[in-house]
């Protein structure tokens, strides 16, 4: 490696001074040389070091410390418990119906948000990929929800899905569903709450994913479509047989990204609750996600050890699901690798 | 040569920025120490809702130029949880922390983390306070007093005279009190109201549950910290479910946006009113001035809420904090707060003070609040509130909300409440 790096160096520095006496000129050159070599060899590492240092301090260390805490009794309101708990926290987890309920909710909302989100993003992207008037305007437009602060948009949606004064019920009332006499209580059962939360997630991320897809679509040569059109393939077929396989790496990327994001869902379900502070995700945990449950166990019940165990369980679940999704998407979109 | 210069400059700049970012995340600001050196102290007070402190802060700062007061109002549960975290961490607690009676047992069992006010000479206050209020914040062995009481809840029933009139009910407060000597009668009146107007009578099931529970001999826990669901909670729960079943409740969630809107839109006609609720009604629905009045609560007395001011030991300016605390519980300030936000002082001698005894609240149709609430507070044997009282209450309230939103059948509700309370007790 070093020889290839050294090759383009100016030839003047090659002949090292053989006599003990060096000329001033020579020395300056070697100094520059060293700087140059340092610059080429180590500078990249130095430049990316801040990220890794920060990751060590704020990423890896908490992760490992979390693993230690998950094996401990760590109750803020009861410091008298024995120090080590062994696997007690994990065995409690298996029998905890709150945990399974939260897992169920998380997957429910995850499916309701990720699948339509990515499909719609694909459609939006393929629309944006055509010739349009005011193309840039549309492209910037779809990104606007992503720019909106998540707390702000969630607060608005929370009012939107309110039982008595919500716009969602007003609109549905116009269509003859529910109405003022029998309004839908969006927070009363799982299905309605999940739909409301998934709507918020979809609204925020469709544009973002669409732009990722669009960027990838731009690199597909036009003549492929022309050839397909001559062979008689319609728009729909072109989308599924040409576009999707050809942007497959980006599809995999978005699937994994939304898997991670979806399984860590926190802000939307948190703020959807009229009594957000309680973190119960509805009176019966109708939409309590795992991230929310972890927050509640750790900072409301003050049981940090148990919360740490839950965090690790979530970490493992995300790894498994992301892996499965990767394999699935890879296969669905043609298995190119 | 020039090129490498800019290169290095750029590198140095990037390095400096990332260093600065790391530095910004760590370390404490040094202003505290600077203040202390100049004889300046900043005292932080954590509380929730409206303690009526805004004007008092200005007054105290004017009288004590070396003191700055920082008021920090937060959500009720959040403030208590935050205090618990800071006590364990040993750092970050405010100089003065307000604690509600619902959380007092939890904190007084950690009395070593608070300044013992008896060491500061607070023993002389004992005779001034309602005896039960004094004992609530006293540690089990009686040697450590961690807080001085500010207000007590008391209990009454606020009602809308205009809505009562429209329903053909009496509006004069004594006649209204006579309508409901018991909770059974109260529900009957509610059915009458709802039947006639097709409107909801109550704001929320939980706000029926809490006052009734507050009247019972035994609440969620007995003094051995054992859950007692079959005692007080069962009584309160049965009334609540009955009210919800007969459609009296507007099914709102208290202290949330829709509930606040309900005050202005007339979504309900009555509301259980501890003294501290008056300030909230006034702040939330200033437009309803004169439409409210205050009647007696069914079933006689009862208490709901009431707070204490404590000084966590970890503070740097404990002495200054105690001076401020003494000033805040002094009669003039307590009376000032009562007039401002309605919080009833916990020192009975003040009830005879004309400033309180003759005080009529113009917002509530000139109701003689200075007579109504003290009477409740004086004839009271408060129930024991266990360490887990807070979370248990939240759990049972959630079950009530499920009955209200019809996701839980009323017949199955009680068993569910017992189960959830059990879970909260063990959490």
């Amino acid at each position: 490696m070093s020889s290839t790096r050294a090759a383009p160096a100016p030839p003047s520095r090659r002949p090292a001074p053989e006599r003990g006496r060096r000329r001033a000129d020579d020395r300056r050159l070697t100094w520059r040389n060293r700087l140059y070599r340092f610059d080429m060899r180590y500078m990249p590492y130095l430049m990316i070091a801040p990220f890794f240092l920060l990751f060590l301090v704020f990423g890896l260390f908490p992760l490992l410390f979390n693993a230690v805490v998950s094996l401990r009794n760590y109750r803020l309101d009861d410091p008298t418990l024995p120090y080590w708990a062994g696997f007690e926290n994990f065995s409690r987890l298996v029998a905890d119906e709150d945990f399974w309920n939260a897992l169920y909710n998380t997957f429910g909302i995850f499916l309701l948000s990720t699948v339509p989100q990515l499909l719609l993003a694909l459609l939006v992207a393929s629309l944006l990929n055509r010739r349009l008037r005011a193309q840039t305007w549309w492209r910037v437009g779809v990104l606007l929800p992503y720019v909106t602060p998540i707390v702000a948009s969630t607060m608005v949606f929370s009012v939107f899905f309110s039982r008595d004064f919500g716009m969602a019920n007003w609109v549905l009332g116009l269509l003859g569903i529910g109405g003022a006499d029998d309004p839908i209580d969006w927070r009363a059962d799982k299905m309605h709450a999940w739909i409301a939360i998934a709507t918020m997630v979809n609204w925020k991320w469709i544009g973002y994913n669409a732009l990722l897809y669009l960027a990838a679509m731009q690199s597909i040569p036009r003549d492929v479509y022309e050839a397909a059109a001559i062979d008689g393939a319609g728009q729909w077929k072109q989308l599924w047989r040409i576009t999707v396989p050809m942007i497959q790496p980006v599809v995999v990327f978005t699937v994994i990204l939304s898997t991670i994001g979806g399984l860590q869902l926190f802000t939307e379900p948190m703020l959807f609750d009229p009594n957000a502070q309680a973190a119960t995700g509805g009176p019966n945990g109708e939409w309590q996600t795992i991230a929310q449950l972890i927050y509640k166990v750790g900072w409301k019940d003050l049981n940090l050890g148990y919360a740490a165990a839950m965090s690790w369980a979530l970490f493992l679940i995300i790894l498994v699901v992301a892996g499965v999704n990767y394999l699935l998407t890879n296969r669905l979109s043609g298995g190119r690798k | 040569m020039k090129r490498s210069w800019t290169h290095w400059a750029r590198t140095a700049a990037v390095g400096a920025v990332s260093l600065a970012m790391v530095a910004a995340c760590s370390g404490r600001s040094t202003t505290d120490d600077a203040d202390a050196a100049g004889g300046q102290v900043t005292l932080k007070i954590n509380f929730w809702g409206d303690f009526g402190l805004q004007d008092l802060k200005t007054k105290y700062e004017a009288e004590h130029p070396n003191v700055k007061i920082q008021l920090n109002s937060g959500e009720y549960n959040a403030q208590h949880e935050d205090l618990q975290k800071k006590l364990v961490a040993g750092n970050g607690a405010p100089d003065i922390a307000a604690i509600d009676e619902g959380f007092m047992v939890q904190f007084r069992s950690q009395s070593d983390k608070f300044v013992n006010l008896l060491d500061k000479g607070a023993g002389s206050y004992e005779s001034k306070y309602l005896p039960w209020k004094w004992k609530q914040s006293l540690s089990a062995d009686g040697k450590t007093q961690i807080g001085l009481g500010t207000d007590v809840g008391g209990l009454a029933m606020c009602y809308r005279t205009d809505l009562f009139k429209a329903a053909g009910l009496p509006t004069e407060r004594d006649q209204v009190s006579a309508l409901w000597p018991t909770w059974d009668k109260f529900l009957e009146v509610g059915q009458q109201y709802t039947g006639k107007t097709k409107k909801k009578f109550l704001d929320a099931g939980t706000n029926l549950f809490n006052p009734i529970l507050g009247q019972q001999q035994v609440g969620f826990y007995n003094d051995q910290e054992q859950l007692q669901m079959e005692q007080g909670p069962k009584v309160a729960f049965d009334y609540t479910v009955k009210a919800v079943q007969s459609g009296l409740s507007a099914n709102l969630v208290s202290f949330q946006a829709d509930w606040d809107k309900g005050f202005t839109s007339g979504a309900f006609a009555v509301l259980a009113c501890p003294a501290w609720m008056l300030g909230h009604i006034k702040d939330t629905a200033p437009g309803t001035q004169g439409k409210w009045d205050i009647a007696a609560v069914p079933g006689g007395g009862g208490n709901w809420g009431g707070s204490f001011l404590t000084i966590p030991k970890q503070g740097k300016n404990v002495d200054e904090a105690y001076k401020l605390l003494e000033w805040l519980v002094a009669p003039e300030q307590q009376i000032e707060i009562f007039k401002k936000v309605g919080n009833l002082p916990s020192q009975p001698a003040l009830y005879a003070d004309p400033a309180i005894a003759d005080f009529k609240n113009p917002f509530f149709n000139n109701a003689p609040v200075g007579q109504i609430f003290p009477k409740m507070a004086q004839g009271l044997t408060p129930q024991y509130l266990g360490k887990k009282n807070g979370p248990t209450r939240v759990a049972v309230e959630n079950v009530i909300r499920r009955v209200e939103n019809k996701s839980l059948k009323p017949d199955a509700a009680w068993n569910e409440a017992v189960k959830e309370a059990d879970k909260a007790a063990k959490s």
Side-chain angles (χ1 to χ4, degrees):
Chain A
M1 195 175 87
S2 66
S3 62
T4 51
R5 284 285 158 82
S12 65
R13 67 171 226 199
R14 267 281 147 216
E18 276 157 46
R19 278 169 224 154
R21 222 159 45 91
R22 295 172 179 176
R23 278 180 295 156
D25 207 35
D26 239 11
R27 207 157 72 198
R28 208 185 68 204
L29 270 179
T30 2
W31 177 229
R32 264 182 77 180
N33 245 335
R34 281 192 192 141
L35 271 185
Y36 182 82
R37 276 178 56 162
F38 178 79
D39 197 12
M40 290 301 285
R41 259 194 209 170
Y42 302 111
M43 208 31 125
Y45 297 104
L46 211 68
M47 298 288 265
I48 56 168
F51 169 78
F52 283 97
L53 288 177
L54 288 176
F55 173 73
L56 276 180
V57 177
F58 296 107
L60 195 63
F61 170 72
L63 198 69
L64 296 177
F65 187 63
N66 199 26
V68 177
V69 170
S70 71
L71 301 174
R72 281 185 53 188
N73 281 312
Y74 202 133
R75 287 207 69 128
L76 289 187
D77 56 348
D78 190 0
T80 56
L81 290 167
Y83 193 84
W84 290 107
F87 285 92
E88 212 171 273
N89 285 325
F90 287 96
S91 55
R92 180 177 166 185
L93 188 73
V94 178
D96 188 348
E97 60 181 59
D98 282 359
F99 179 77
W100 296 109
N101 173 54
L103 195 65
Y104 178 56
N105 289 340
T106 311
F107 274 98
I109 299 172
F110 167 65
L111 285 180
L112 280 181
S113 57
T114 313
V115 177
Q117 182 192 134
L118 296 182
L119 289 178
L120 284 171
L122 203 59
L123 286 180
V124 171
S126 67
L127 285 177
L128 285 177
N129 199 25
R130 299 190 188 173
R131 283 182 208 290
L132 289 171
R133 267 172 218 276
Q135 208 167 35
T136 318
W137 191 84
W138 290 111
R139 287 178 185 176
V140 173
V142 297
L143 201 62
L144 273 183
Y146 174 69
V147 179
T148 319
I150 188 162
V151 173
S153 63
T154 308
M155 301 287 262
V156 173
F157 270 111
S158 184
V159 179
F160 184 81
F161 286 112
S162 135
R163 183 195 64 194
D164 293 337
F165 304 100
M167 257 178 66
N169 276 339
W170 176 71
V171 173
L172 287 176
L174 292 182
L175 301 174
I177 307 168
D181 304 327
D182 183 24
I184 295 175
D185 191 344
W186 294 96
R187 292 167 175 83
D189 64 289
K190 278 190 192 299
M191 204 24 94
H192 285 113
W194 289 2
I195 290 174
I197 291 171
T199 309
M200 304 180 201
V201 180
N202 286 333
W203 179 81
K204 189 170 176 71
W205 294 98
I206 284 174
Y208 175 82
N209 286 313
L211 281 201
L212 286 180
Y213 289 153
L214 178 64
M217 284 176 188
Q218 307 250 301
S219 65
I220 304 176
R222 291 250 150 232
D223 43 4
V224 183
Y225 288 106
E226 281 160 19
I230 290 169
D231 288 346
Q235 293 284 355
W236 197 246
K237 211 160 201 178
Q238 286 180 19
L239 179 65
W240 287 108
R241 289 292 163 83
I242 299 175
T243 312
V244 175
M246 289 196 90
I247 63 168
Q248 187 244 6
V250 179
V251 175
V252 174
F253 174 72
T254 55
V255 166
I256 290 186
L257 216 62
S258 36
T259 305
I260 296 171
L263 293 183
Q264 293 181 336
L265 200 64
F266 180 72
T267 316
E268 287 92 346
M270 191 78 171
L271 292 179
F272 185 59
D273 199 326
N275 186 10
Q277 227 290 317
T280 52
N284 194 24
E286 283 88 351
W287 64 88
Q288 185 180 49
T289 60
I290 297 221
Q292 222 182 340
L293 180 65
I294 292 172
Y295 172 84
K296 178 178 173 283
V297 169
W299 296 119
K300 309 252 332 157
D301 303 345
L302 302 173
N303 193 348
L304 291 182
Y306 190 34
M310 283 186 178
S311 309
W312 258 81
L314 177 61
F315 175 63
L316 295 178
I317 290 169
I318 291 181
L319 279 188
V320 171
V321 176
V324 169
N325 276 348
Y326 170 77
L327 290 177
L328 275 180
T329 342
N330 211 8
R331 169 154 291 192
L332 276 181
S333 46
R336 254 170 21 115
K337 176 66 203 176
Chain B
M1 192 69 189
K2 201 179 169 203
R3 204 169 130 243
S4 72
W5 237 116
T6 49
H7 200 102
W8 276 101
R10 211 178 299 151
T11 317
V14 169
V17 167
S18 39
L19 260 181
M21 277 167 64
V22 175
C25 300
S26 65
R28 332 166 13 143
S29 74
T30 49
T31 46
D32 283 358
D33 306 315
D35 276 356
Q40 280 282 337
V41 286
T42 304
L43 298 176
K44 188 173 168 193
I45 309 182
N46 277 10
F47 56 98
W48 56 92
D50 191 350
F51 269 51
L53 296 178
Q54 197 59 47
D55 295 342
L56 296 179
K57 162 190 148 91
T58 325
K59 196 170 161 198
Y60 192 81
E61 283 175 346
E63 287 172 18
H64 303 79
N66 64 326
V67 177
K68 280 261 169 299
I69 299 174
Q70 218 182 330
L71 298 180
N72 176 27
S73 174
E75 197 268 344
Y76 169 79
N77 284 301
Q79 287 289 32
H80 292 101
E81 281 151 16
D82 182 63
L83 177 63
Q84 178 63 67
K85 283 175 222 165
K86 302 288 168 61
L87 289 184
V88 174
N91 188 14
D95 297 282
I96 295 183
I99 297 177
D100 182 75
E101 62 165 15
F103 282 88
M104 205 54 198
V105 177
Q106 178 191 334
F107 285 106
R108 79 175 183 202
S109 60
Q110 309 166 57
S111 54
D112 57 318
K113 297 201 170 71
F114 292 90
V115 171
N116 183 358
L117 301 182
L118 296 177
D119 295 344
K120 301 274 175 191
S124 62
Y125 283 97
E126 181 171 356
S127 55
K128 293 184 184 158
Y129 274 97
L130 290 166
W132 54 270
K133 184 80 176 176
W134 176 261
K135 276 193 203 118
Q136 272 185 325
S137 54
L138 197 65
S139 69
D141 58 3
K143 286 184 184 142
T144 315
Q145 176 57 275
I146 71 164
L148 287 181
T150 53
D151 65 315
V152 289
L155 211 47
M157 193 61 83
C158 292
Y159 65 99
R160 285 276 293 265
T161 50
D162 55 334
L163 298 179
F164 266 48
K165 196 172 177 187
L169 290 166
T171 55
E172 206 272 319
R173 65 181 77 90
D174 288 336
Q175 285 175 314
V176 173
S177 302
L179 280 181
W180 53 51
T182 62
W183 288 105
D184 286 308
K185 290 275 181 211
F186 178 79
L187 293 190
E188 274 173 36
V189 175
Q191 277 153 1
Q192 224 175 308
Y193 175 89
T194 304
K196 189 134 189 187
T197 58
K198 304 285 168 233
K199 282 162 117 183
K200 304 295 181 186
F201 187 57
L202 280 169
D203 58 330
T206 52
N207 284 354
L208 184 63
F209 177 79
N210 282 315
I212 302 181
L213 181 64
Q215 291 179 335
Q216 307 303 315
Q217 289 256 302
V218 182
F220 283 123
Y221 294 89
N222 65 11
D223 50 13
Q224 280 101 52
E225 290 290 337
Q226 288 154 328
L227 196 60
Q228 301 291 309
M229 287 303 278
E230 292 300 330
Q231 305 256 347
K234 171 97 171 120
V235 178
F237 197 86
D238 285 347
Y239 277 116
T240 308
V241 170
K242 200 173 156 199
V244 172
Q245 249 181 317
S246 35
L248 301 188
S249 163
N251 302 348
L252 298 165
V253 183
S254 35
F255 295 101
Q256 305 308 326
D258 281 1
W259 187 64
D260 284 350
K261 257 181 239 162
F263 282 101
T264 36
S265 68
F268 46 84
V270 299
L271 170 75
C273 268
W276 47 262
M277 189 75 90
L278 305 183
H280 184 83
I281 300 177
K282 197 173 149 188
D283 292 348
T284 315
T288 56
Q289 165 138 18
K291 289 180 181 166
W292 292 93
D293 208 325
I294 306 172
V297 71
N303 191 50
W304 180 9
S307 309
F308 301 82
L309 295 177
T310 65
I311 304 178
K313 227 178 216 173
Q314 53 185 259
K316 282 208 208 91
N317 303 308
V318 168
D319 290 325
E320 284 292 340
Y322 184 68
K323 269 190 227 161
L324 174 59
L325 175 56
E326 273 194 314
W327 186 81
L328 284 173
V329 298
E332 302 82 47
Q333 279 65 249
Q334 290 287 299
I335 290 173
E336 203 54 42
I337 294 172
F338 173 75
K339 284 178 165 169
K340 192 97 193 164
V341 291
N343 290 0
L344 182 71
S346 37
Q347 304 168 34
L350 302 182
Y351 303 157
D353 192 308
I356 287 189
D358 299 340
F359 184 70
K360 294 186 163 62
N361 196 325
F363 192 91
F364 293 86
N365 207 11
N366 284 318
V369 286
Q371 294 290 330
I372 297 174
F373 290 107
K375 217 185 290 167
M376 296 286 164
Q378 274 167 312
L380 194 75
T381 25
Q383 58 180 225
Y384 177 83
L385 303 165
K387 281 186 198 172
K388 291 274 182 182
N389 184 67
T392 311
R393 202 176 81 179
V394 172
V396 174
E397 283 183 350
N398 273 337
V399 175
I400 294 172
R401 283 171 59 196
R402 285 162 62 192
V403 179
E404 289 187 327
N405 72 25
K406 300 194 178 65
S407 61
L408 184 65
K409 290 242 165 55
D411 328 334
W414 176 247
N415 285 335
E416 189 70 11
V418 173
K419 196 185 108 197
E420 291 293 322
D422 236 22
K423 222 157 77 180
K426 289 188 192 119
S427 74

